């Protein structure tokens, strides 16, 4: 096994979030009643003419720029001809010889923050097909709502070397698509689809081995599993004296295995030719520059900036930038802080990663839907950072802050929750508790120092969680050692 190296290239289709279809003005809305989002153009009636959706070009150029691609000033559409019931026109409009984006790369993060650039061969525009629903009780049903929905196909160079890298490449690609606001990235709903090209070669060999193309994985984890399976299958085949046949294989989720779908011999000949009904797409330098100017900061550079600007650990910034809205929120909270220093930035990060993310995960909502003002989070964090309240009180009052938008300061005043840092009050309680727990004091003296926690807990309980924990600990230690 160790004498072989895998070579992988991925072909990813992403459904774009334009309001209307690629070549007509029908809605792209997901989940509409079958065949309601259709018109003579996307139903392929003879004599109709496609007209290009400008947003499609803008979106793909965004993606091209985000993945360091070169943008072709003049590119054309082609017809890919084949027959299938979900393809009403009998051909798909796509790009063939001159894709609009080419020669790019995307950085993925490996272990220990190491990065690797994966080449992007090309990104081109095309249209989706309709959907054939094979209902065993009725017959095959056809829904053309998806017919003509804009897609981009992102083809990677064969730079990926194992299933983990493939997984990371996909998650990074998805993150970028979502950050750019051009795709939902939802693989289960088919908004993102991935075909994996896999081959193996003996370590040290320069030429690539024969590849197979694996389809039908509906999650990133399945892509990972399918690649691992395929690598193992190919190595075993070669080791057993056989050879890999170039073919298209299906991932069978039930069997957790790949199986032959069609071999190269029976592969389609698409008879590509230039689409005569569409003029070439021209991307002028000014248009390209305008799109570039409007690009958002991408997740990896943003992660690096967070580490530097807020002095938070790479782990924290990684978690925060995972979701653009969370990252925006983090910055909004930091901006609302009175005291802007590394300690406070870290406390905000902790608070978001635990308390806030816990709530949004539990309710399955986005941070925006939570509707919580960042200023209130900043206020709360500062209250426990400066010891006005204990972090336990902060946690206790947080649900009300979230539910009603009440200011934490107001709640604290109303309910008298300010932390007691008054040493005399704490000291009295500590003394009383030590006096009434002589047996535990004995244990402490006999060397069981973990009894300290018991005294701190009892004191805190007596004082309704409002005492400053550091002062309690200091005093308990002092009196136990007297
Ligand atoms: P095809 O002609 O079968 O469409 P392409 O050369 O267009 O093949 O490549 C399709 C995808 O397969 C790309 O992502 C590319 O990186 C990848 N690829 C090409 N050759 C290999 C190989 N020998 N092993 C693994 N992946 C490969
Ligand atoms: Zn239409
Ligand atoms: Mg190809």
């Amino acid at each position: 096994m160790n004498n072989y190296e895998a070579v992988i290239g991925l072909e990813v289709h992403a459904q774009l979030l334009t309001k209307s279809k690629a070549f007509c003005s029908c809605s792209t809305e997901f989940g509409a009643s079958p065949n309601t989002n259709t018109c003579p153009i996307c139903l392929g009636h003879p004599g109709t003419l496609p007209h290009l959706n400008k947003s499609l070009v803008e979106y793909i150029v965004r993606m091209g720029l985000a993945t360091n691609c070169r943008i072709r000033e003049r590119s054309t559409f082609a017809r890919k001809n084949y027959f299938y019931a979900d393809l009403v026109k009998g051909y798909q409009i796509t790009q063939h010889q001159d894709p609009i984006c080419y020669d790019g790369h995307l950085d993925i993060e490996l272990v220990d923050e190491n990065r690797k650039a994966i080449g992007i061969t090309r990104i081109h525009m095309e249209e989706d097909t309709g959907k054939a629903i094979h209902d065993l009780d009725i017959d095959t049903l056809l829904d053309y709502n998806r017919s003509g929905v804009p897609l981009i196909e992102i083809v990677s160079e064969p730079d990926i070397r194992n299933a983990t890298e493939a997984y990371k490449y996909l998650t990074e690609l998805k993150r970028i698509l979502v950050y750019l606001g051009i795709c939902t990235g939802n693989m289960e709903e088919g908004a993102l689809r991935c075909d994996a090209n896999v081959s193996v070669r003996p370590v040290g060999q320069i030429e690539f081995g024969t590849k197979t193309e694996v389809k039908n994985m509906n999650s990133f984890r399945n892509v990972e599993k399918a690649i691992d399976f395929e690598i193992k299958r190919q190595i075993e085949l070669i080791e057993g004296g056989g050879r890999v046949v170039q073919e298209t294989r299906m991932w069978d989720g039930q069997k957790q295995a790949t199986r032959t779908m069609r071999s190269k011999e029976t592969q389609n000949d698409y008879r590509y030719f230039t689409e005569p009904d569409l003029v070439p797409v021209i991307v002028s330098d000014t248009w390209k520059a305008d799109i570039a100017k409007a690009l958002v900061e991408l997740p990896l550079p943003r992660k690096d900036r967070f580490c530097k600007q807020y002095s938070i650990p790479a782990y924290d910034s990684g978690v925060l930038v995972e979701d653009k809205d969370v990252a925006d929120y983090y910055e909004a909270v930091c901006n609302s802080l009175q005291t802007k220093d590394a300690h406070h930035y870290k406390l905000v990060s902790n608070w978001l990663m635990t308390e806030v993310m816990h709530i949004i995960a539990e309710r399955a909502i986005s941070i925006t839907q939570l509707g919580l003002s960042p200023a209130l989070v900043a206020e709360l964090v500062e209250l426990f950072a400066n010891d006005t309240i204990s972090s336990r009180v902060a946690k206790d009052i947080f649900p009300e802050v979230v539910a009603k938008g009440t200011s934490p300061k107001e709640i604290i005043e109303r309910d008298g929750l300010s932390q007691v840092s008054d040493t005399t009050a704490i000291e009295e309680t500590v003394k009383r508790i030590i006096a009434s727990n002589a047996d535990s004091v004995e244990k402490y003296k006999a060397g069981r120092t973990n009894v300290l926690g018991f005294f701190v807990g009892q004191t805190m309980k007596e004082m309704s969680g409002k005492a400053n924990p550091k002062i309690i600990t200091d005093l308990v230690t002092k009196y136990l050692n007297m």
Side-chain angles (χ1 to χ4, degrees):
M1 285 297 241
N2 291 333
N3 304 326
Y4 289 88
E5 173 184 59
V7 172
I8 299 150
L10 299 179
E11 294 168 288
V12 174
H13 282 92
Q15 216 175 62
L16 296 184
L17 278 169
T18 56
K19 288 197 187 69
S20 50
K21 292 188 180 180
F23 304 110
C24 64
S25 49
C26 289
S27 164
T28 54
E29 187 202 352
F30 183 79
S33 196
N35 296 307
T36 52
N37 292 338
T38 54
C39 74
I41 297 175
C42 55
L43 287 176
H45 290 195
T48 57
L49 289 172
H51 51 96
L52 176 62
N53 182 343
K54 194 178 166 193
S55 303
L56 163 53
V57 182
E58 190 173 321
Y59 283 13
I60 194 171
V61 171
R62 265 192 219 169
M63 188 58 184
L65 293 172
T67 51
N68 313 288
C69 284
R70 301 188 58 190
I71 310 297
R72 205 179 297 271
E73 196 189 338
R74 179 187 189 277
S75 66
T76 60
F77 284 102
R79 285 189 185 179
K80 178 179 178 177
N81 301 279
Y82 66 94
F83 173 77
Y84 194 68
D86 66 9
L87 186 71
V88 263
K89 294 200 295 285
Y91 61 85
Q92 178 192 30
I93 302 178
T94 179
Q95 292 196 289
H96 188 51
Q97 309 280 26
D98 50 3
I100 185 163
C101 310
Y102 62 103
D103 263 4
H105 66 87
L106 176 153
D107 286 340
I108 59 171
E109 265 197 318
L110 304 172
V111 280
D112 300 332
E113 320 283 319
N114 278 329
R115 301 207 179 155
K116 173 176 173 177
I118 306 294
I120 306 275
T121 316
R122 56 185 284 160
I123 310 179
H124 68 253
M125 302 180 264
E126 58 187 37
E127 56 177 341
D128 212 341
T129 62
K131 207 171 157 185
I133 302 145
H134 304 287
D135 185 318
L136 293 179
D137 292 333
I138 311 172
D139 213 329
T140 291
L141 302 168
L142 292 159
D143 177 4
Y144 292 114
N145 279 349
R146 218 178 60 184
S147 172
V149 164
L151 299 177
I152 57 174
E153 178 172 348
I154 305 148
V155 181
S156 88
E157 285 289 298
D159 288 344
I160 298 165
R161 289 291 169 268
N162 56 56
T164 310
E165 285 184 13
Y167 182 86
K168 301 232 160 142
Y169 170 83
L170 285 172
T171 47
E172 197 53 46
L173 202 63
K174 171 184 164 170
R175 247 180 12 171
I176 294 173
L177 287 163
V178 175
Y179 255 69
L180 295 176
I182 62 175
C183 176
T184 63
N186 192 326
M187 204 162 172
E188 281 78 12
E189 280 176 13
L192 209 62
R193 293 162 235 163
C194 171
D195 301 335
N197 298 272
V198 182
S199 67
V200 297
R201 62 180 170 189
V203 170
Q205 180 181 305
I206 310 268
E207 311 87 69
F208 291 155
T210 305
K211 74 176 164 77
T212 60
E213 183 176 351
V214 191
K215 292 179 177 293
N216 196 42
M217 294 82 79
N218 62 354
S219 71
F220 291 172
R221 285 296 170 208
N222 282 340
V223 173
E224 209 179 4
K225 284 190 204 160
I227 290 173
D228 271 335
F229 179 90
E230 195 51 24
I231 293 171
K232 192 156 171 278
R233 186 189 70 85
Q234 292 184 11
I235 295 173
E236 281 170 7
L237 195 63
I238 296 168
E239 291 280 89
R243 62 177 188 94
V244 176
V245 192
Q246 179 156 350
E247 60 180 357
T248 305
R249 298 178 69 86
M250 286 273 279
W251 169 248
D252 185 332
Q254 223 120 58
K255 294 206 178 97
Q256 297 280 296
T258 66
R259 62 180 153 80
T260 302
M261 192 168 132
R262 55 170 186 258
S263 68
K264 192 75 185 175
E265 283 72 38
T266 59
Q267 202 126 63
N268 298 307
D269 179 353
Y270 296 118
R271 309 216 166 235
Y272 285 99
F273 62 85
T274 305
E275 167 60 63
D277 290 343
L278 286 163
V279 294
V281 181
I282 308 293
V283 182
S284 67
D285 282 347
T286 39
W287 193 18
K288 194 169 81 178
D290 285 346
I291 297 171
K293 243 188 289 166
L295 274 192
V296 295
E297 186 183 19
L298 296 170
L300 268 191
R302 194 172 200 186
K303 179 181 172 185
D304 293 340
R305 178 171 65 81
F306 274 21
C307 288
K308 274 211 203 92
Q309 187 174 339
Y310 302 106
S311 313
I312 52 175
Y315 174 80
D316 291 45
S317 36
V319 173
L320 295 169
V321 303
E322 194 54 44
D323 178 338
K324 181 173 175 294
D325 292 339
V326 172
D328 290 344
Y329 196 88
Y330 175 71
E331 296 210 89
V333 177
C334 289
N335 277 329
S336 299
L337 287 170
Q338 308 276 321
T339 318
K340 294 184 169 59
D341 62 20
H343 175 58
H344 284 72
Y345 295 146
K346 174 65 179 134
L347 290 177
V348 172
S349 153
N350 291 348
W351 194 262
L352 292 197
M353 291 196 302
T354 54
E355 305 308 310
V356 176
M357 288 203 183
H358 178 73
I359 297 178
I360 62 177
E362 207 172 55
R363 298 199 208 158
I365 54 171
S366 72
I367 199 157
T368 321
Q369 288 168 318
L370 185 64
L372 174 66
S373 154
L376 294 179
V377 176
E379 190 182 308
L380 186 64
V381 167
E382 296 209 296
L383 284 170
F384 72 81
N386 66 21
D387 283 334
T388 307
I389 54 173
S390 62
S391 58
R392 203 190 102 181
V393 168
K395 279 177 194 170
D396 288 347
I397 69 171
F398 192 51
E400 184 183 343
V401 178
V402 174
K404 300 188 186 150
T406 322
S407 133
K409 275 192 192 125
E410 231 174 274
I411 302 175
I412 290 159
E413 260 168 49
R414 184 192 68 200
D415 299 349
L417 295 172
S418 286
Q419 179 161 274
V420 180
S421 292
D422 167 5
T423 322
T424 4
I426 302 174
E427 199 161 14
E428 262 162 34
T429 316
V430 169
K431 280 202 229 153
R432 196 167 63 242
I433 285 170
I434 286 181
S436 53
N437 289 285
D439 49 339
S440 297
V441 177
E442 284 311 312
K443 284 182 197 155
Y444 180 83
K445 298 226 152 113
R448 291 189 41 198
T449 46
N450 56 348
V451 176
L452 190 89
F454 163 78
F455 286 105
V456 173
Q458 288 298 309
T459 312
M460 191 58 112
K461 200 168 145 198
E462 281 278 300
M463 305 198 66
S464 322
K466 289 190 282 180
N468 181 323
K470 183 165 181 328
I471 300 179
I472 301 183
T473 312
D474 288 350
L475 288 170
V476 167
T477 314
K478 178 179 151 195
Y479 282 101
L480 281 176
N481 288 305
M482 264 167 51

